[in-house]
Amino acid sequence: MGDRGPSPLRPPTTPFRVDSALSPIDRDLHPVVHLGRVAVITGAASGIGRAAAQELARLGLKVAIADVNAAALDELAKELALTYGDGNVLSVPTDVSKLDEVTRLHDRVYEAWGEVAVLLNNAAVGVKGTSFEGLENWKTIMDVNLFGILNVQHTFVPSMLHQENQSVIVNTGSKQGITNPPGNAAYNASKAAVKSLTEGLSNELRERPGVNVTAHLFIPGWTWTGMTGANKSAEKPAGAWTAQETVLYMLDRVRDGDFYILVPDNETRREVDQLRILWGAGDVVEGRPALSRWHPNYRSLFEEYMKEGLAQID
């Protein structure tokens, strides 16, 4: 097999971190996820976005929902309005890849409610593009997954900077944007860019005096959205979480002030994700081949590394 090099370091047993000054706070009194405040959710018509809209409305927030699928968005708006009242729901069909439509969304929200407490930048598409094929798909995925988030940030953040009350921006990333598994280079690259963008946003907000806005990277695990997607009769796989479970976990981590919201599922625990991420970083540090986790000469070493790492944690 040749010189494989050493395994990356295991996750530290006592991670170095500084707990947020806001944590812990009683969830009923949290200044962001709180009765009467305003949430804006893109990609709200299905899946995680839909579950987030339902949960935040249940918690008493006013919700502005946006999605390119106008029919599905209207269905959700009627459902929410029936339960929580027309005055607490604003539905704005929006293609986030188009700046003028995002500007219209911003103006509608601020005209109606004058603030945003939770901005969930969730809209995304998953079309496929390899590293040298599918250029039109690359353009589509970058327009939505990356420039859609940029359009929302450039439109909403300047207004949120001047709000007195605390607010949060949550960008939906992906584990694929961190571990970069083979199969869809376009999607992986778009979500890697979202990670980098959100890290930069967090630093810029932190360094700006008097700003009461924080950024968070939401990294879902395996999430089943079949009940809100096309295949409504299918049964949820045992390994997946529901969209509601994923959203509840995300909101708990936002309340705790976490930046990286790495979500587990019934098949992949947090420690497994940590080891996989560390292995990927080890490719750079140790000079292994790119994506060595899937390289035939390193596959067995990766399996040993995972077994040893999980044994140390357990």
Side-chain angles (χ1 to χ4, degrees), residues 11-59:
T13 55
T14 54
F16 179 80
R17 59 170 289 174
V18 178
D19 288 334
S20 167
L22 287 171
S23 176
I25 293 179
D26 187 289
R27 64 189 53 224
D28 294 331
L29 300 176
H30 193 277
V32 175
V33 187
H34 188 266
L35 177 71
R37 301 221 53 199
V38 175
V40 176
I41 303 146
T42 66
S46 63
I48 287 173
R50 184 184 183 96
Q54 292 168 328
E55 178 61 18
L56 289 167
R58 188 189 70 80
L59 292 170

Side-chain angles (χ1 to χ4, degrees), residues 1 144 150:
M1 187 177 295
V144 177
L150 275 169

